[in-house]
Amino acid sequence: MHKVIFMQNVCFISNKIQFFMRKVFAYSKNRHIFAVSINKYADMNEDSKKFLLQEKEIPEAWYNVVAEMPNKPRPMLNPATKQPLTAEDLFPLFSEEASRQEMNTADTWIEIPEEVRDMYKIWRPTPLVRARGLEKALDTPAHIYFKNESVSPVGSHKLNSAVPQAYYCKQQGVTNITTETGAGQWGAALSLAAKHFGLELAVYMVKVSYHQKPYRRSIMETYGAEVIASPSMSTKAGRKIITDNPNYQGSLGTAISEAVELAMSTPNCKYVLGSVLNHVALHQTVIGLEAEKQMAMAGEYPDIVIGCFGGGSNFSGISFPFMRHNFSGERNTRFIAAEPESCPKLTRGVFQYDFGDEAGYTPLIPMLTLGHNFAPANIHAGGLRYHGAGSVVSQLKEDNLMEAVDIPQLETFAAATMFARSEGIIPAPESSHAIAAAIREAKKAKEAGESKVILFNLSGHGLIDMSAYDQYIAGDLANYQVSDEMVRQNTKDLEKII
């Protein structure tokens, strides 16, 4: 009997060693992939529009940027004791595996379960596209590429993390999960994943988006989720907010408070979120890992990588795999996060510990923040209306390893319209921030006479956001600015821990 157990353990360790060696070998190959592949593909892809990978090329592991950051992010803290949290401290709220991934600062590569990779095959690998039509419309020498995450069944990148998080809950024997959603893209993704793994899901959808985007609500309900407009009367947090401000149209911070409260008060239930935290960013790195191979197929390497920014999932997914080459000194790529002018946490927020939700239910997170009680304007990019940035992105921004720009709403819709007319894809309002930033950089390249290579993530399509386009075409949209005094008032009471 002891001999059998011993041999089983030997086999288990052997498998782990083999997986580790595969990752080491893959990393070694990646250091030279572009030099080799550029020569291989340069001639054949001179006029190519799309660059496609096969299913077998879906990444086998996610990239954990924290393991290689020059300065690791500060830990999350217990709000009562101000002591750093452990993975076990998160077990009551999140699945155990998501909690362990959240706190993993040592492993550069984290294996993707086969069940997750099998479901990824429904839409992954996603195309890398050369935006030749947009280049022509701008008359720019820049080469513009975009990773098209809009091809997923729910029309956005959010499914990349919804699938593993639902899988981990199912493996643990959880029966119910809760979440928040802004524009509805995350809620739609988790609704599909929850149904696939047999979980019951309750989604708190920011009230303004609940009414602005009824078809996203319909998608969630079609997949079997219960959708509640937030703030609601179904939670203590929601009732207090409504009592204090009856006309409040909600925010992601409010919806998170309600989802966390329901999860903590429901038996065998966990909270699942779609942005901000490290394990979510980890799952999204499949985007950039695929894009690395596809840029090599195109025979180019990006000078600039751009993603829109709300809490960080989409920006992290496209950027982190390329960023590791900057860490090693091999490359000097610029990374630009494009956020709304009306919610400028990266460009104008303060770096301090703050709650991830409005009611103060979450741990304290080191973040660039506008204050957890910040009430963002009712812009149509509902997925970007969040008061803070995740701890990893906040640290990278503080260390000047990335940049950020804030973009007015009207500029984003002008960029979206140009992109739709030149490339044929109507982008989500959130993704339009990345397009606007890419257009800015392409214009700069033209002025300087430089042939820059620009890569951005098209995080989702806008076919369920046409009411926003209707308002833009009719001239009914406006820009919203945040005053310095508003930022000061919303952040002045934060405890000065940093």
Side-chain angles (χ1 to χ4, degrees), residues 369-433:
T369 179
L370 298 168
H372 62 273
N373 58 348
F374 177 76
N378 296 331
I379 61 171
H380 278 276
L384 308 186
R385 297 173 68 250
Y386 184 66
H387 68 273
S391 62
V392 172
V393 172
S394 294
Q395 187 64 53
L396 292 169
K397 177 67 167 53
E398 286 296 290
D399 291 342
N400 296 314
L401 294 171
M402 55 167 284
E403 308 167 34
V405 294
D406 58 342
I407 301 180
Q409 179 168 239
L410 293 180
E411 182 181 344
T412 68
F413 274 92
T417 302
M418 173 180 279
F419 183 77
R421 292 173 180 175
S422 59
E423 293 295 328
I425 301 171
I426 296 176
E430 293 81 7
S431 310
S432 302
H433 289 70

Side-chain angles (χ1 to χ4, degrees), residues 9 19 39 54 72 105 127 138 179 218 221 263 273 280 348 356 361 364 370 379 382 430 459:
N9 287 335
F19 172 76
N39 293 329
Q54 299 179 18
K72 296 188 189 303
T105 63
L138 293 169
T179 197
S218 298
E221 292 173 340
L273 84 166
V280 182
R348 296 173 60 196
Y361 290 157
L364 288 171
L370 298 168
I379 61 171
E430 293 81 7
S459 57

Side-chain angles (χ1 to χ4, degrees), residues 61-66 69 73 98 101-102 108 110 112 120 157-158 160-162 164-165 186 273-289 309 311-321 389-394 396 457:
W62 296 298
Y63 171 62
N64 181 17
V65 72
V66 180
M69 287 173 62
Q101 290 177 0
E102 181 65 28
T108 304
I110 296 178
I112 303 175
Y120 276 175
H157 72 293
K158 291 293 189 179
N160 298 328
S161 186
Q165 290 196 68
W186 168 247
L273 84 166
S275 193
V276 182
L277 292 189
N278 304 350
H279 65 276
V280 182
L282 172 78
H283 303 154
Q284 293 294 349
T285 59
V286 292
I287 301 171
L289 291 170
F309 195 90
S313 67
N314 149 74
F315 173 78
S316 302
I318 190 67
S319 296
F320 287 175
S391 62
V392 172
V393 172
S394 294
L396 292 169
N457 196 35

Side-chain angles (χ1 to χ4, degrees), residues 207 241-249:
K207 187 173 290 184
I241 292 167
I242 291 173
T243 300
D244 293 342
N245 188 353
N247 296 319
Y248 185 49
Q249 292 300 297

